[in-house]
Amino acid sequence: MEAAAARRRPEEEVALYPQAGKAVAEEEQKQKEEKEKEKEEEEESPVAKRRRVLCSEFTAITSSDSAVARSFLASNDWHIERALNAYFEPPMENEDEAAGGVPTACAGPGRCIDLTADATSSDASVNSADSRKQEDDSSFSLITWNIDGLDQGNLKERAGGICSYLALYSPDVVFLQEVVPPHLCLLQMKASNYTLIPGNIDGYFTVIMLKKSRVKLLKHDIIPFPTTSMMRNLLVVHVSISGNELCLMTSHLESTKDHSKERMKQLQIVFKEMQKESESTTVIFGGDTNLRDSEVAKLGNLPNNIMDIWEFLGKPQHCRYTWDTHSNTNLHAAYKCKMRFDRIYFRPAGGGGHIIPRSMDLIGLEKLDCGRFPSDHWGVLCNFDVIL
């Protein structure tokens, strides 16, 4: 009997013992999958490997699945501490919901703040000041501001503060960076006198706002940054202001000192796009560049026909530093650092042009009632003269 069993072929064993055969097949399949996974991991780029490790750490800490981990990490520049803070941030109480109103639309329980829940047309509406301000075709104003939507702390109060500043200054053009979907919903409701053009609608992104009474939108485009690891791009709109054609651009260039090479590549794309425009068109780029002066110098400084407006205006010291951890305590940073991250570049139209930069100031310098500033960046307000 034992000799006969020894002579049986594997397939005969499977026929005689189907459960054992099934277990063998499953084990072989498992080993095959593990080998394929090991092969895939060997072929992964260093960035992909790092992201996979971060996803594993995130799921281990939060007991969530890989899809949730990837979503929160991607929305927070793949900084695990920021992603974890965003995940565990306790939901703010919604008075309307507590009173039996419509519940907040969220991606998950307690994961998203509806900034429009308590908003009314009279509550710091971006439209309010504009209705009282007389239009002046001999000038126009622009604000560029990284509004730090990735920081969910006091997000509702800070968003309201940003709307209050936009209502106060009533700019003709607004460049916003680090906008998150709840911000976009709030702006669509409270800034009905502006045309809103987002650079994306997922994660975080840039937005250009154009005052409908002054700025006519002609067309827009999104230029990708092919090698970004932070979902960055260049948002471009073509407009007409007081009969002058302008090309307006904004971006949030790659963040942190470690991504200097990618940031400089992105800046080169910006310069290339600025120079591609017709000579009859004035081109203005503004945004959170994350640039260090040494990086601009490495590229041979600015092209001859492009100027840094802060430098053109004589390098005014009161608006030199737009990211200042000494004066701005939002990050509670242990280090003290002052940087001119937020910049505005200008390429005049040929023949001297009809638009001239006049002044520059910082905004968002006052703390809100919640004890924080609207953003960890100051906003930059720039005024231009239009030669009629």
Side-chain angles (χ1 to χ4, degrees), residues 344-359:
I344 304 177
Y345 292 137
F346 179 76
R347 196 212 72 177
H354 301 284
I355 295 174
I356 304 171
R358 185 177 75 239
S359 65

Side-chain angles (χ1 to χ4, degrees), residues 107-266:
R111 297 283 180 262
C112 177
I113 300 170
D114 181 6
L115 301 181
T116 67
D118 304 317
T120 66
S121 59
S122 60
D123 177 24
S125 171
V126 177
N127 305 332
S128 58
D130 182 53
S131 62
R132 299 189 299 267
K133 184 176 179 180
Q134 187 175 357
E135 303 290 2
D136 180 5
D137 286 339
S138 67
S139 66
F140 81 91
S141 57
L142 179 152
I143 285 175
T144 181
W145 203 350
N146 178 326
I147 58 176
D148 195 21
L150 293 178
D151 178 1
Q152 292 201 346
N154 303 106
L155 185 63
K156 185 177 256 185
E157 292 92 336
R158 293 190 300 107
I162 288 158
C163 286
S164 295
Y165 274 102
L166 296 183
L168 175 64
Y169 291 102
S170 188
D172 300 300
V173 175
V174 183
F175 297 157
L176 298 178
Q177 303 86 45
E178 243 179 79
V179 180
V180 292
H183 276 142
L184 187 58
C185 293
L186 181 70
L187 290 168
Q188 287 169 336
M189 188 181 99
K190 297 173 75 67
S192 59
N193 61 333
Y194 283 85
T195 300
L196 273 61
I197 305 100
N200 204 335
I201 54 172
D202 297 319
Y204 67 104
F205 41 88
T206 58
V207 171
I208 291 180
M209 300 172 62
L210 309 172
K211 189 189 290 183
K212 294 176 182 177
S213 61
R214 290 281 333 265
V215 187
K216 180 181 179 181
L217 174 64
L218 303 176
K219 61 180 180 178
H220 75 277
D221 195 10
I222 297 173
I223 310 297
F225 291 149
T227 51
T228 180
S229 61
M230 300 182 182
M231 303 185 294
R232 308 293 168 84
N233 58 29
L234 177 63
L235 177 59
V236 181
V237 300
H238 290 80
V239 304
S240 175
I241 300 178
S242 301
N244 292 277
E245 285 198 14
L246 289 87
C247 176
L248 306 173
M249 304 180 176
T250 191
S251 186
H252 183 187
L253 302 188
E254 214 82 352
S255 305
T256 77
K257 183 168 60 177
D258 294 339
H259 291 87
S260 177
K261 288 184 179 179
E262 173 62 23
R263 182 164 49 252
M264 288 192 288
K265 284 170 61 177
Q266 294 171 0

